[in-house]
Amino acid sequence: MRTSIATVCLSGSLEEKMRACAAAGFDGVEIFEPDLVVSPSTPEQIRALAGSLGLSLDLYQPFRDFEGVGGEELAANMVRARAKFELMNRLGIETMLLCSNAGTATVNDDAVAAGQLSSLGDLAAGYGVKVAYEALAWGRYVNDFEHAQRIVDLARHPNIGTCLDSFHILSRGWDPGAIEKIPAEKIFFVQLADAPKLSLDVLSWSRHYRVFPGQGAFDLAGFMAHLVRTGYDGPVSLEIFNDVFRQTAEEGTAVDAMRSLTLLQERTAARLAADDGAARYPMSLAALPPVAEPSGFSFAEVKAEHPETVSTLLRQLGFEFGGRHRTKAAQLWTQGQARVIINGAGALEPGISALGLDVQDPLAAASRAVQLRTRRVPRETQADEQVLQAVYAPDGTEVFLCEATADGTAAWAGEFSADPGSGTDAEPLVTGIDHVNLSQPWQHFDEAVLFYEATLSLSAAAAQEVPSPMGLVRSQVMRSTAGGVRLALNIAPLAVESEPGGYPQHIAFACTDLVAAARQAAGRGLRFLPVPANYYEDLAARFRLEPDFLAALQELNLLYDRDGDGEFLHFYTATVGNVFFEVVERRGRYDGYGAPNAPVRLASQYLAAEGTLARKDG
Amino acid sequence: MRTSIATVCLSGSLEEKMRACAAAGFDGVEIFEPDLVVSPSTPEQIRALAGSLGLSLDLYQPFRDFEGVGGEELAANMVRARAKFELMNRLGIETMLLCSNAGTATVNDDAVAAGQLSSLGDLAAGYGVKVAYEALAWGRYVNDFEHAQRIVDLARHPNIGTCLDSFHILSRGWDPGAIEKIPAEKIFFVQLADAPKLSLDVLSWSRHYRVFPGQGAFDLAGFMAHLVRTGYDGPVSLEIFNDVFRQTAEEGTAVDAMRSLTLLQERTAARLAADDGAARYPMSLAALPPVAEPSGFSFAEVKAEHPETVSTLLRQLGFEFGGRHRTKAAQLWTQGQARVIINGAGALEPGISALGLDVQDPLAAASRAVQLRTRRVPRETQADEQVLQAVYAPDGTEVFLCEATADGTAAWAGEFSADPGSGTDAEPLVTGIDHVNLSQPWQHFDEAVLFYEATLSLSAAAAQEVPSPMGLVRSQVMRSTAGGVRLALNIAPLAVESEPGGYPQHIAFACTDLVAAARQAAGRGLRFLPVPANYYEDLAARFRLEPDFLAALQELNLLYDRDGDGEFLHFYTATVGNVFFEVVERRGRYDGYGAPNAPVRLASQYLAAEGTLARKDG
């Protein structure tokens, strides 16, 4: 499949956008006219830049408000078109996008529109260019692609064809199946956009909220399957108007875009295979090594200049020292199947730096991730060490792809050597890592969700919003179906994000008996995150709880939730640097994360941070 | 009128919220339950804090999902209610808000609901408290305030009454005129919220986009007029769920809130006077000194550590030195009625620091602004100097309220003494200040719009969005009807805002002959903001322009726009620090600001800034 992208998707100057598209691996770009108008480069310079970058210039867009007008206006529009065709010749662009008239049309007559398009085709033929007519979802008389196609058919001109845009078709609820009725040679161009389901007016929705395929609610694999069946084999291009992408560094956005288009090819191929069996079509679709969802967490890594700030908390939680790494400044702490590596190299303030996930085939998973434009983590290994596969998540977290073992042990753990006799025989209360909570930069949220879906087959649960004293926190859980891996991706309010340590991340451990675990931790001197007495009064009003149980919760700063499936008990430690820990007990089939208690946690952390700041100020 | 505000409107801890409300002058607050639940203060401590701050605790809220349920659930709800009534006694709060059941109701029967409310009233009576029943716009069976009122009437219980919320009434399009049918003694509480017109689902609209009265599209003066006519004289409280307010420093938000409620009282009084003449009602409404819209700009002030960086540009634009201030490190530059003061004290990088506006009665205008909770600018004056009235706009710009003179001269100008003979006799091309463009912090945008409306009677024009290489810029013009004062308030993309000088502000001068002014400026060596050749090619395609005229535009880096009313010519200077200048010529009745050309300006400034950064890096 020939991949293309409109320059309007990205931030920066036209030249910066083109460089980012080439670096991300696109075959071509659409030149968005306003990007050219404000560029100091001549058309010839842009053409030369594209050539040197190996990019084709696939489309000049948009040309607006042409057809359905009176004679005088048509003459002016032909003058405009001639100027743009001359410009296209200088740029070396063969196809122009013509949007259905949304502003100046006064004649609602397909025959008139077709005649005017035919005249435009004659003019275009003189310049050796083609015009792709597209039905805007808010076009005045033409807002349905089948209607646009009827006009193109009526025009019967070799230089006049169709542009299909998934947003304009799917946002209006038109049946994309009708695409299959269009002859491939009349489809001059295809633009793809996804979008979340919103009840906004379609123009605002289109101009601000489009996202890359796979980041919204449209069935784009289904759309693509219809397109492929026509025999179309031209460029498939992304045209995404998105307020966030417009202000995010263009290199990352271009990579996100290319990842979405690569994943879409896999999904389209799967759809075609399911529906059409072994049928073959002209368009070739990129294939990826398959990946199964990860079975669990192999480890989580915290970077800390002073490892003892973190290891103290872990020891108080019942973790045992599992040894030092042979060659790296790292130590391992374990309890049950929970493994935390404290990496003494790097960060001043403690923070989560890496996750290890158990996968069936680490090499295939890494290869898939790299084909999805994910950067590999460079890593030096000694001759006798495990070669671990690792890639960067969009927020910079290193994701290690570890080999799952039948007994849940970690193959890499042998690289850590403990002093003999440091272990105890007591049955551990903590059994493993339940979930990890990572804060995300607001600009990279959609990218992060798609990254975990595409590279690791995690699924997005429903998003939640949690009030904090500094604003709403948006939380999105990504999880494996079986629940072995659960990541909570949080966007902190802007005011918080900019403060160092303003929104800490955390690792939550699963345990079998929270009250016992909390008592032991208290006995070892753990600093719990304090929970206000008012919380327990409210709890008593909301749930009928045994007085002794309620008293134990309050004594130990434990939080409680209950739903139709079961109960959830949990507590938080104090924060060190940018990280804290949580211990959770799931009773019955409770499958949530104690969301009703999150505001208590955030408020207590806010007050604790204010206290810290006050102490620092004083 | 007794003013109140729900703590959910503000950021911070409960204690911080209460302090901010008291400082802004509110009479009382509503305690939003989740704020109390997460607070480490006991109810008794909160009560004592309110007492020491002089705040009444007007409402405990919300109590949810009570009525329309089966017997077992009702019993559990009565247990919940008893716990909250006990808590209210400890807090010293007399009224609880009960929202119509939106979650658990299964019985759609007014008699059943009324009976359950009556039982709740009996329980409440035992604690000496009252319950105010409110129809949520998304209530399961009850979502209309008249329906809620029928249930309250059926309940016939002295401790059961009504809470009216403007959002729940106006968002659903219910007729607020029906408020007048409710006896005042049954209205236990009133909550006000405004909101922009959105086509969102009503729950999301309510939870994220409410704004303070006067910042949205609802007719709240009309709503208030109906309320006042009932004879109600209890608290009128703001309950605003807003994602931005939640993450903005609470002190400023509380001031913004109080300003909106003060302005609303003036508008309500005007509505009542217009509709009901001299009728008198129990509720007293605060009055403000009236203000007429300003007639023009008296001056604009730029702060610059090195004044010559700015004065060089002004001299090149044809401005003349108008003298040094007698006592301050300030110099005056003038041309026609355009006056720019360069203040040498303070800021490292040049930037707009103050505006002078001509008003009819500066003392009354300043008094009005102060009553609208605006901070006065502290200013030392010598015995023989003008005492100028000045207040701070929300973005920190100083707004001076100057006395308008019949001949357009400035009374304060005598404080600047020029060397004799420095003036020339040539007729100036620049005649005055056309508009000023101020960038606004995104958190204070709604506040800024309301500030200029409330204190200076400026009107908001339709907002616009302008693409830049670093994101969309939102632009909102505030202007006087006659056009003598025009301010463009811009919100820069977040990525830009955080960079020093990333989004400069500017002063635009009106002139009578832009081509001549540009030629003279070029002759004096002015550095124009460069305009790319591609722009002029596009201009030629869009408008039929005389070749000589087009060549002159391109030669001089002039921009051009045309609409049905006239033509607009303008150019920009290079940026120094955070400020640049524009010169504009309006032909015919053109009343805009050349918005189609703004992307060209922003892209050229982006490239110029990159060049500057590159030079700094190199």
Side-chain angles (χ1 to χ4, degrees):
Chain A
M1 188 177 94
R2 284 194 45 214
T3 55
S4 191
I5 181 169
T7 55
V8 72
C9 303
L10 305 176
S11 69
S13 67
L14 180 56
E15 298 78 359
E16 289 167 338
K17 293 169 189 230
M18 289 169 64
R19 288 197 184 92
C21 296
F26 280 92
D27 298 317
V29 297
E30 304 174 26
I31 296 289
F32 184 61
E33 180 177 88
D35 285 333
L36 181 72
V37 166
V38 304
S39 168
S41 300
T42 63
E44 289 76 12
Q45 287 169 329
I46 294 298
R47 180 182 195 159
L49 176 62
S52 72
L53 291 170
L55 284 177
S56 60
L57 298 180
D58 293 326
L59 189 77
Y60 187 83
Q61 69 120 321
F63 195 77
R64 295 187 190 279
D65 296 341
F66 173 81
E67 85 288 9
V69 298
E72 195 175 332
E73 186 133 4
L74 183 69
N77 289 348
M78 293 292 274
V79 170
R80 259 200 305 143
R82 181 185 294 276
K84 298 306 176 185
F85 290 156
E86 284 171 4
L87 179 59
M88 287 166 64
N89 281 176
R90 293 170 64 195
L91 287 160
I93 299 183
E94 280 176 20
T95 310
M96 182 173 85
L97 173 69
L98 171 64
C99 300
S100 63
N101 198 323
T104 61
T106 54
V107 186
N108 184 10
D109 185 324
D110 289 358
V112 169
Q116 294 177 340
L117 257 59
S118 183
S119 304
L120 186 64
D122 290 343
L123 185 65
Y127 290 90
V129 298
K130 300 184 297 178
V131 175
Y133 183 56
E134 170 186 87
L136 287 184
W138 53 90
R140 187 140 185 194
Y141 300 125
V142 180
N143 53 43
D144 168 352
F145 75 106
E146 293 192 79
H147 187 183
Q149 188 60 41
R150 286 197 298 276
I151 294 174
V152 167
D153 289 343
L154 271 175
R156 289 175 58 88
H157 196 291
N159 294 65
I160 299 293
T162 294
C163 175
L164 298 172
D165 181 309
S166 65
F167 182 89
H168 292 297
I169 295 171
L170 300 175
S171 68
R172 292 292 304 256
W174 307 133
D175 172 19
I179 290 171
E180 298 186 25
K181 292 187 280 186
I182 308 175
E185 66 274 14
K186 293 308 280 185
I187 304 176
F188 284 5
F189 208 74
V190 174
Q191 294 178 318
L192 288 186
D194 202 344
K197 255 198 154 36
L198 293 176
S199 59
L200 270 183
D201 66 285
V202 71
L203 181 60
S204 304
W205 190 16
S206 172
R207 291 275 168 85
H208 299 286
Y209 296 100
R210 291 184 176 207
V211 285
F212 293 127
Q215 295 175 345
F218 290 156
D219 175 15
L220 289 181
F223 180 94
M224 281 295 297
H226 295 306
L227 178 70
V228 170
R229 287 192 197 105
T230 65
Y232 177 80
D233 193 24
V236 175
S237 185
L238 299 169
E239 188 197 31
I240 315 295
F241 302 92
N242 180 291
D243 289 1
V244 174
F245 299 163
R246 277 180 184 274
Q247 54 182 309
T248 308
E250 65 277 10
E251 298 90 344
T253 309
V255 164
D256 184 23
M258 194 63 201
R259 180 177 301 137
S260 81
L261 218 39
T262 308
L263 181 67
L264 181 63
Q265 291 179 67
E266 179 187 58
R267 291 178 173 178
T268 302
R271 184 70 67 94
L272 287 166
D275 293 351
D276 305 354
R280 287 283 167 275
Y281 303 101
M283 188 186 289
S284 69
L285 297 166
L288 292 166
V291 68
E293 62 174 35
S295 54
F297 287 98
S298 185
F299 68 90
E301 179 188 271
V302 176
K303 273 214 165 103
E305 191 188 21
H306 303 293
E308 65 283 5
T309 54
V310 178
S311 62
T312 301
L313 286 179
L314 291 173
R315 185 182 286 119
Q316 290 165 335
L317 290 174
F319 279 67
E320 294 181 354
F321 180 63
R324 284 180 201 289
H325 194 271
R326 279 187 230 168
T327 58
K328 300 189 173 72
Q331 42 182 274
L332 174 64
W333 289 79
T334 66
Q335 185 175 184
Q337 297 296 341
R339 298 174 202 95
V340 178
I341 294 170
I342 308 177
N343 188 333
L348 279 175
E349 292 277 19
I352 297 173
S353 49
L355 299 176
L357 303 179
D358 287 328
V359 299
Q360 276 178 6
D361 184 343
L363 269 175
S367 164
R368 178 183 174 88
V370 169
Q371 287 184 54
L372 285 162
R373 312 283 156 175
T374 301
R375 271 194 311 135
R376 254 181 212 282
V377 176
R379 196 158 178 277
E380 287 179 21
T381 45
Q382 308 293 324
D384 55 347
E385 288 175 8
Q386 287 267 317
V387 179
L388 289 174
Q389 306 293 330
V391 296
Y392 286 107
D395 66 353
T397 301
E398 299 172 6
V399 178
F400 283 79
L401 304 159
C402 306
E403 185 140 12
T405 58
D407 62 353
T409 58
W412 51 264
E415 292 169 20
F416 290 82
S417 54
D419 302 331
S422 67
T424 67
D425 295 331
E427 185 71 19
L429 293 170
V430 164
T431 54
I433 294 175
D434 183 87
H435 64 277
V436 175
N437 185 312
L438 297 173
S439 75
Q440 300 294 305
W442 62 272
Q443 309 97 316
H444 296 288
F445 187 74
D446 288 326
E447 180 184 357
V449 172
L450 187 69
F451 164 83
Y452 286 110
E453 277 187 8
T455 61
L456 289 160
S457 286
L458 296 182
S459 306
Q464 291 206 307
E465 274 162 348
V466 181
S468 91
M470 296 184 80
L472 291 179
V473 174
R474 182 172 159 202
S475 179
Q476 169 71 64
V477 171
M478 304 296 303
R479 56 171 288 176
S480 59
T481 317
V485 171
R486 300 161 186 256
L487 295 176
L489 307 181
N490 284 10
I491 310 185
L494 284 166
V496 174
E497 194 199 27
S498 57
E499 299 196 6
Y503 195 79
Q505 314 194 106
H506 78 270
I507 303 167
F509 302 112
C511 96
T512 51
D513 184 342
L514 193 83
V515 174
R519 277 206 202 287
Q520 288 183 7
R524 295 186 198 105
L526 180 75
R527 276 206 301 141
F528 289 76
L529 184 75
V531 177
N534 296 335
Y535 167 77
Y536 296 100
E537 292 194 15
D538 184 60
L539 210 56
R542 289 194 290 134
F543 300 115
R544 295 192 187 191
L545 298 174
E546 290 297 319
D548 286 356
F549 180 62
L550 187 66
L553 294 180
Q554 183 159 5
E555 175 205 340
L556 292 163
N557 289 287
L558 308 186
L559 298 143
Y560 177 84
D561 189 30
R562 187 166 74 201
D563 63 18
D565 296 322
E567 292 172 299
F568 190 64
L569 282 77
H570 55 143
F571 69 81
Y572 301 102
T573 71
T575 300
V576 290
N578 294 316
V579 71
F580 64 97
F581 299 105
E582 181 182 6
V583 184
V584 314
E585 179 191 344
R586 296 176 182 278
R587 295 182 177 177
R589 293 183 314 282
Y590 185 96
D591 204 31
Y593 305 85
N597 299 327
V600 180
R601 192 254 293 175
L602 291 162
S604 288
Q605 289 178 331
Y606 170 77
L607 291 174
E610 286 204 320
T612 308
L613 291 176
R615 281 200 299 279
K616 280 182 186 165
D617 290 349
Chain B
M1 187 177 94
R2 283 193 47 213
T3 55
S4 191
I5 180 169
T7 55
V8 72
C9 302
L10 305 176
S11 69
S13 67
L14 180 56
E15 298 78 358
E16 289 166 339
K17 293 170 189 229
M18 290 169 63
R19 288 197 185 91
C21 295
F26 280 93
D27 298 316
V29 298
E30 304 174 26
I31 297 289
F32 184 61
E33 180 176 89
D35 286 334
L36 182 71
V37 167
V38 304
S39 168
S41 301
T42 63
E44 290 76 12
Q45 288 170 328
I46 294 298
R47 181 181 194 159
L49 176 62
S52 72
L53 291 169
L55 284 177
S56 61
L57 298 180
D58 294 326
L59 189 77
Y60 186 83
Q61 70 119 322
F63 194 77
R64 296 188 189 279
D65 296 341
F66 173 81
E67 84 289 8
V69 299
E72 195 175 332
E73 184 134 5
L74 183 69
N77 289 349
M78 293 293 273
V79 170
R80 261 201 303 145
R82 182 184 294 275
K84 298 305 175 185
F85 291 156
E86 284 172 4
L87 178 59
M88 287 167 64
N89 280 175
R90 295 168 64 194
L91 287 160
I93 298 182
E94 279 176 21
T95 310
M96 182 174 83
L97 172 68
L98 171 64
C99 300
S100 63
N101 198 322
T104 61
T106 53
V107 185
N108 185 10
D109 183 324
D110 289 359
V112 169
Q116 295 176 339
L117 256 59
S118 183
S119 304
L120 186 65
D122 289 344
L123 184 65
Y127 290 90
V129 299
K130 300 184 296 178
V131 175
Y133 184 55
E134 171 186 87
L136 288 185
W138 53 91
R140 185 139 185 193
Y141 300 125
V142 180
N143 53 43
D144 168 352
F145 75 106
E146 291 191 79
H147 186 184
Q149 188 58 43
R150 285 196 300 275
I151 294 173
V152 167
D153 289 343
L154 272 174
R156 287 174 60 89
H157 196 291
N159 294 66
I160 299 292
T162 295
C163 175
L164 298 172
D165 180 309
S166 65
F167 182 90
H168 292 298
I169 295 171
L170 301 175
S171 68
R172 293 291 304 254
W174 308 132
D175 172 19
I179 291 170
E180 297 186 27
K181 293 187 278 184
I182 307 176
E185 64 275 14
K186 292 307 279 185
I187 303 177
F188 284 5
F189 208 75
V190 174
Q191 294 178 318
L192 289 185
D194 203 344
K197 255 200 155 40
L198 293 175
S199 57
L200 271 183
D201 66 286
V202 71
L203 181 60
S204 304
W205 190 17
S206 173
R207 291 276 167 84
H208 300 285
Y209 297 100
R210 290 183 176 207
V211 286
F212 293 126
Q215 296 176 344
F218 290 156
D219 175 15
L220 288 182
F223 180 93
M224 281 295 296
H226 296 305
L227 178 70
V228 170
R229 288 193 197 104
T230 66
Y232 177 80
D233 193 24
V236 176
S237 185
L238 298 170
E239 189 197 29
I240 315 294
F241 302 92
N242 180 292
D243 289 1
V244 174
F245 298 162
R246 277 181 186 274
Q247 55 182 308
T248 308
E250 65 276 9
E251 299 89 344
T253 309
V255 164
D256 184 23
M258 193 63 201
R259 180 178 300 138
S260 80
L261 218 39
T262 309
L263 181 67
L264 181 63
Q265 291 179 67
E266 180 187 58
R267 289 178 174 178
T268 303
R271 184 72 65 95
L272 287 166
D275 292 351
D276 306 353
R280 287 285 167 273
Y281 303 103
M283 189 185 288
S284 71
L285 296 166
L288 292 167
V291 68
E293 63 174 34
S295 54
F297 288 98
S298 185
F299 68 90
E301 180 189 270
V302 176
K303 273 216 165 104
E305 190 188 21
H306 303 292
E308 65 282 5
T309 54
V310 178
S311 63
T312 300
L313 286 179
L314 291 172
R315 185 182 286 118
Q316 290 165 336
L317 290 173
F319 279 67
E320 295 182 352
F321 181 63
R324 286 180 199 289
H325 193 270
R326 279 185 230 169
T327 59
K328 299 188 174 74
Q331 44 184 269
L332 174 65
W333 290 79
T334 67
Q335 186 175 183
Q337 297 296 341
R339 299 175 201 94
V340 178
I341 294 169
I342 308 177
N343 187 334
L348 279 175
E349 292 278 18
I352 297 174
S353 49
L355 299 177
L357 304 179
D358 288 328
V359 298
Q360 276 178 6
D361 183 345
L363 269 174
S367 164
R368 177 183 176 87
V370 169
Q371 288 184 53
L372 285 163
R373 310 285 156 174
T374 302
R375 272 195 310 136
R376 253 180 212 283
V377 176
R379 197 158 177 278
E380 288 178 19
T381 45
Q382 308 294 323
D384 55 347
E385 289 174 5
Q386 287 266 318
V387 179
L388 288 174
Q389 306 293 329
V391 296
Y392 287 107
D395 67 353
T397 302
E398 299 171 6
V399 178
F400 283 80
L401 304 158
C402 305
E403 184 140 13
T405 57
D407 61 354
T409 57
W412 52 264
E415 292 169 22
F416 290 82
S417 56
D419 301 332
S422 68
T424 66
D425 295 332
E427 186 71 20
L429 293 170
V430 164
T431 54
I433 294 176
D434 183 88
H435 63 278
V436 174
N437 186 313
L438 297 173
S439 75
Q440 300 294 304
W442 61 273
Q443 308 98 316
H444 296 289
F445 187 74
D446 288 326
E447 181 184 357
V449 171
L450 188 69
F451 164 84
Y452 286 109
E453 276 186 8
T455 61
L456 289 159
S457 286
L458 296 182
S459 306
Q464 291 205 307
E465 275 162 348
V466 181
S468 91
M470 295 184 79
L472 291 179
V473 175
R474 181 171 161 204
S475 180
Q476 170 70 65
V477 170
M478 305 295 303
R479 55 171 288 175
S480 59
T481 318
V485 171
R486 300 163 186 254
L487 295 175
L489 307 181
N490 284 10
I491 310 185
L494 285 166
V496 173
E497 195 198 27
S498 59
E499 299 196 5
Y503 194 79
Q505 314 195 105
H506 79 270
I507 303 167
F509 301 113
C511 97
T512 50
D513 183 342
L514 193 83
V515 174
R519 277 204 202 290
Q520 289 182 6
R524 295 185 199 104
L526 180 75
R527 277 206 300 143
F528 288 77
L529 184 75
V531 177
N534 295 336
Y535 167 78
Y536 296 100
E537 291 194 15
D538 183 61
L539 210 56
R542 289 193 291 133
F543 300 114
R544 295 193 187 188
L545 299 174
E546 290 296 320
D548 285 358
F549 180 62
L550 186 65
L553 294 179
Q554 182 158 5
E555 175 205 342
L556 293 162
N557 289 288
L558 308 187
L559 297 142
Y560 177 85
D561 188 32
R562 186 166 76 201
D563 63 17
D565 294 323
E567 292 171 299
F568 190 64
L569 284 76
H570 55 143
F571 69 81
Y572 301 103
T573 71
T575 300
V576 291
N578 294 315
V579 70
F580 64 98
F581 299 104
E582 180 182 6
V583 184
V584 314
E585 179 190 345
R586 295 176 183 276
R587 294 182 176 178
R589 293 183 314 282
Y590 185 95
D591 205 30
Y593 305 85
N597 299 326
V600 179
R601 193 254 292 174
L602 290 162
S604 288
Q605 288 178 331
Y606 170 77
L607 292 173
E610 286 205 318
T612 309
L613 291 176
R615 281 198 300 276
K616 280 182 186 166
D617 290 348

